[in-house]
Amino acid sequence: MKLLSESIRRIKASPTVAMTGRAQALKEAGRDIIALSAGEPDFDTPAHIGAAGKAAIDAGYTRYTAVDGMAALKEAIAAKFARENGLEYGLNEITVASGGKQVLFNALLATLDPGDEVIIPAPYWVSYPDIVALAGASPVIVPCGPEQGFRLGPNALRGAITSRTKWLILNSPSNPTGAGYSADDLRALADVLLEHPNIWVLSDDIYEHLVFDDFRFATMAEVEPALKARTLTMNGVSKAYAMTGWRIGYGAGPAELIGAMAKLQSQSTSNPSTISQHAALAALNGPQDYIAQSRAAFARRRDLVVAGLNECEGITCPVPQGAFYVYPSIEGLIGKTSKSGAKITDDEAFCTALLEETGVAVVFGAAFGLSPHFRVSYAASDEVLAEALARINAFCAGCR
C-alpha cells in the first residue's frame, strides 16, 4: 500500500527554499557563502512594529481571533486599499492569512477542480504552478521573454484562453524579474478579459511598494472596475515592512470567494498569529517612513547589481522596474566550461558550479519557467553585493 497521495506526487519542493537550504548547509560546514537566493529584505522590522508585537504579548493578546483575521486589522487593510489603490472593500471581502502564500493557496484550493486551467506568465514565482497542480488543475504556462519585457501581452493572453480557463495570475512587480505592469499594460489585458466573463484574476501585489524611477504601480481592479467582482487582490506586510517571519498576508475580493477561503483556513491553520496581527496593524496604521527608505536602498542596490552583472562575460542583465530581484541571461555562457571543469549545459548547471566554485548562491531560471537565466536577490548590503559581483565576474571570466 503506497503512503503518498497522487496530489503530493504532482508537486515538487520549492527550488528557492532548496537553494537557500543548500547554501546554509555549506555555510554551516565552514564554507564562505554569499546567499543571494532568498526573497526577503535584509533590514530589521521597523522598531515601532516590533514594539507593537511585544506590547500585544504584554497585553495578553495571545488567544484566538476570528479565523481569517481580527476586525481591527481588516479595517486597517480596507483603509489601505482605499488610500493607496482607490478600492473599497467591506470587512466580509477581506481575508488575513499566515503569509501571502496561504492567501494564494486558499484561493486556488477553494476554486479549482480537475480540468480547470490557470494561465501563468513565465517567468513566474515558483509556487504558482505547484499550488495549481495540487488542486488538481492544470497550469498553462505562457513564456514572456526579455523581448516582451518579461510581461504578458494581450495577444499572448488571448491565445492561452480556453473554455477551461478559470484564473489568470499576475504578479507586478514580478518575482523573479522585477518587471512591472503599467496601467496601460493592465488596460490591454483587461480588454481581453472583459470578453471572457468566466475568468478570474489573481493579482499578486506583494511588491507594490518596491517600485523605482518613474514607474507607477497599478493593480487590475483599480484599472478596470468592471473586473473587481472577479478579482482577488493579494498583498501582505512581508516585503514592504521587512516582516517575512511574522507571516501575515491579506487579500480582498468578492464575499463569496473570501468566505470560501475562510472555510478552508478554518480546517487548516485557523487564525494567523494574534501577535503578528497586532504588529501588522501597527505597520499599516503607523509611520510609513520605512517604505521610502528601503525603496531608496533597493534602487541603489539594483543599479549596482545591474551594472556589475553587465560587466560579466556572457551575461546580460535588464533593468527591472521593481521588487529586489534581477533576472539576467547567461545565453553567452551556455556550452562553456568553468575553470574547475564544470560544463555549463544550462542555467541549473551554471548556478550549481557558481555555488561550488565561488560560494555565491543564486537560483537557476528553469525553476521560474524560463531559461537560460538566473535570479539574484539583491536584498543584501552593498559590501556583500560588491563581493558577490566580483566572484561572479571572476567565474565568468574563467569559463572557456
Side-chain angles (χ1 to χ4, degrees), residues 49-382:
I49 299 174
K54 295 175 184 176
I57 297 173
D58 292 339
Y61 292 125
T62 56
R63 302 185 184 278
Y64 295 131
T65 69
V67 68
D68 64 343
M70 60 189 193
L73 181 53
K74 289 188 176 186
E75 289 169 358
I77 293 166
K80 176 264 181 249
F81 278 122
R83 179 178 68 246
E84 297 180 351
N85 310 111
L87 295 171
E88 300 292 334
Y89 292 103
L91 298 195
N92 65 335
E93 297 176 307
I94 293 172
T95 187
V96 184
S98 298
K101 185 180 288 190
Q102 189 179 22
V103 176
L104 300 169
F105 187 94
N106 288 348
L108 295 174
L109 267 289
T111 58
L112 291 174
D113 290 311
D116 288 340
E117 295 177 349
V118 178
I119 296 173
I120 304 174
Y124 46 71
W125 179 52
V126 295
S127 292
Y128 294 146
D130 286 282
I131 297 173
V132 170
L134 186 67
S138 300
V140 176
I141 308 302
V142 183
C144 303
E147 60 277 7
Q148 289 91 37
F150 298 121
R151 288 184 292 271
L152 178 70
N155 291 335
L157 172 59
R158 185 175 282 110
I161 291 172
T162 73
S163 60
R164 296 181 296 278
T165 304
K166 187 71 170 283
W167 285 94
L168 164 66
I169 299 179
L170 291 175
N171 177 209
S172 173
S174 159
N175 177 1
T177 67
Y181 287 82
S182 68
D184 288 342
D185 294 329
L186 294 175
R187 175 73 267 163
L189 297 177
D191 289 343
V192 177
L193 293 167
L194 290 172
E195 301 169 5
H196 299 275
N198 295 321
I199 299 176
W200 286 66
V201 181
L202 204 166
S203 185
D204 183 346
D205 298 352
I206 197 73
Y207 296 97
E208 172 184 3
H209 290 294
L210 293 175
V211 295
F212 311 128
D213 305 325
D214 57 354
F215 181 81
R216 181 189 176 279
F217 175 81
T219 192
M220 184 63 84
E222 170 193 19
V223 169
E224 178 47 77
L227 290 176
K228 181 172 178 278
R230 48 188 172 108
T231 296
L232 176 67
T233 304
M234 191 283 289
N235 212 312
V237 296
S238 60
K239 316 298 183 179
Y241 301 97
M243 295 178 66
T244 51
W246 295 84
R247 308 310 303 137
I248 294 292
Y250 57 84
E256 182 181 12
L257 172 62
I258 297 300
M261 293 166 64
K263 181 194 292 186
L264 180 58
Q265 190 160 304
S266 76
Q267 296 291 3
S268 56
T269 61
S270 195
N271 68 273
S273 162
T274 308
I275 297 158
S276 295
Q277 289 190 64
H278 281 273
L281 183 62
L284 293 174
N285 286 346
Q288 302 296 301
D289 315 56
Y290 167 81
I291 291 176
Q293 294 167 6
S294 67
R295 183 190 298 124
F298 282 128
R300 183 185 68 250
R301 294 169 176 185
R302 176 202 63 172
D303 294 342
L304 171 69
V305 170
V306 169
L309 288 172
N310 279 321
E311 292 176 358
C312 297
E313 184 177 344
I315 291 179
T316 56
C317 184
V319 180
Q321 287 87 17
F324 40 70
Y325 311 105
V326 291
Y327 200 64
S329 168
I330 59 161
E331 188 172 1
L333 293 171
I334 298 298
K336 294 189 175 183
T337 301
S338 75
K339 191 173 182 179
S340 296
K343 189 75 172 179
I344 310 301
T345 54
D346 54 27
D347 47 41
E348 184 171 6
F350 168 84
C351 293
T352 299
L354 184 69
L355 177 60
E356 293 294 336
E357 297 180 26
T358 74
V360 176
V362 294
V363 186
F364 57 94
F368 306 99
L370 192 73
S371 296
H373 296 263
F374 66 102
R375 190 193 77 173
V376 176
S377 168
Y378 51 86
S381 71
D382 294 36

